[in-house]
Amino acid sequence: MPRSIAATRTLCALAALVCAAGCSPAAPPAAPATEAPVAAAVDQFRDEYAAGSIVIQLTDTGAAPLTVVGAELADPRFADGTAWAGSAELAAGQTLSLPAALAAPRCGAGASDAAPSLRVRLADGTERTVAAADPHGVLARLHGDQCFAQEAARAVRLRLEDALGAGTTARTAILTLVADPPAGPSGVPPRTVLTSVEGTPLLGEDPERPWPRALVLAPRARIALVVRPARCDPHAVAEDKVGTLIPVGLEVGEAAGVVKVAASPALRAALYRFVARACGWPAG
């Protein structure tokens, strides 16, 4: 065979090998690691309202069950520590509501409104961070409430006296709201005005003796609040969670908001006895 023909054949064979190696389709990229199919949200039910805590809601959006051993909220508006720990089985398609005490708020100009997320730990040792929906704006509301409560506490401390006074009729009683000075040295407190008192599922205003409004709170002021039952449905009253948590509107300097003043256990028991008596329920 002529040398030129052999050389030509050799070059063609080499070219074919190079083409086969260089022109073949690229290998597909590696599939990303599978994330745990978990959706997350935060909310607040009646049981959490009085304490200012929340529920962490986790939904298994996959086809297999999961075992959750921890969940922690990450939100720049609050300090770290809003968490649930335990062990909960989450079936496919199921949603669990896990209670969590809310950590202290971060107040002031540096507080961010960034979207919250949840760090979810599973029994197999994996951890996932997922965006947390807040469909009812619970975190924004609680952040505002708690920051205003801190501001108000520097001017006045509101409390309810333990004793429940007798009203002018069998269907009324008297709550006494006391405005104590702030604890510790605080300089001259800002002007504080009681703008409103709101009713609860348990207690309402007596139209004959309306609750005060636009009242400047002097140091150690004592305000008589004439109350009557808001309703006499025994089932609703029996299921009440917030009826003895009194919302009080305040203006503290340039800030305005609502603080919730809780009855002591003794006063709470007296209020339930009063409602039962005023509604004419049989003694039990």
Side-chain angles (χ1 to χ4, degrees):
M1 176 183 299
R3 185 173 299 175
S4 61
I5 296 176
T8 300
R9 288 179 176 177
T10 300
L11 290 172
C12 288
L14 289 173
L17 288 173
V18 170
C19 184
C23 303
S24 58
T34 302
E35 296 290 330
V38 177
V42 294
D43 210 335
Q44 188 180 51
F45 303 151
R46 287 187 303 172
D47 287 347
E48 289 77 35
Y49 184 83
S53 56
I54 63 169
V55 292
I56 293 170
Q57 294 184 308
L58 300 177
T59 302
D60 184 347
T61 59
L66 301 171
T67 301
V68 179
V69 296
E72 183 173 1
L73 177 71
D75 188 316
R77 293 169 292 189
F78 297 91
D80 295 339
T82 302
W84 172 89
S87 182
E89 298 293 329
L90 196 57
Q94 181 186 12
T95 297
L96 287 180
S97 295
L98 309 171
L102 192 60
R106 292 186 175 112
C107 303
S112 170
D113 291 331
S117 62
L118 282 167
R119 292 189 291 269
V120 181
R121 293 187 299 279
L122 303 179
D124 63 7
T126 60
E127 182 174 299
R128 299 287 183 264
T129 298
V130 293
D134 187 2
H136 301 119
V138 165
L139 294 175
R141 172 173 56 80
L142 289 172
H143 182 262
D145 287 351
Q146 292 186 8
C147 287
F148 179 74
Q150 288 185 5
E151 182 73 17
R154 288 190 277 268
V156 65
R157 291 180 301 148
L158 297 179
R159 62 181 174 87
L160 293 167
E161 284 192 346
D162 284 348
L164 182 64
T168 56
T169 70
R171 285 185 57 81
T172 60
I174 299 176
L175 279 176
T176 302
L177 180 68
V178 181
D180 288 330
S186 59
V188 178
R191 182 174 184 267
T192 303
V193 180
L194 187 154
T195 57
S196 66
V197 179
E198 300 175 21
T200 74
L202 186 71
L203 303 171
E205 183 180 43
D206 179 10
E208 301 298 323
R209 295 184 64 184
W211 294 332
R213 291 164 177 80
L215 174 67
V216 177
L217 292 179
R220 305 190 186 281
R222 295 164 54 86
I223 303 103
L225 303 174
V226 180
V227 298
R228 61 179 179 81
R231 58 192 302 176
C232 284
D233 179 351
H235 296 290
V237 174
E239 295 174 0
D240 173 64
K241 304 294 183 183
V242 296
T244 59
L245 191 65
I246 311 299
V248 178
L250 293 176
E251 289 179 356
V252 181
E254 299 298 319
V258 174
V259 297
K260 300 175 181 70
V261 186
S264 67
L267 178 58
R268 185 165 59 246
L271 285 168
Y272 281 116
R273 288 195 298 270
F274 156 69
V275 170
R277 188 169 58 248
C279 289
W281 298 341

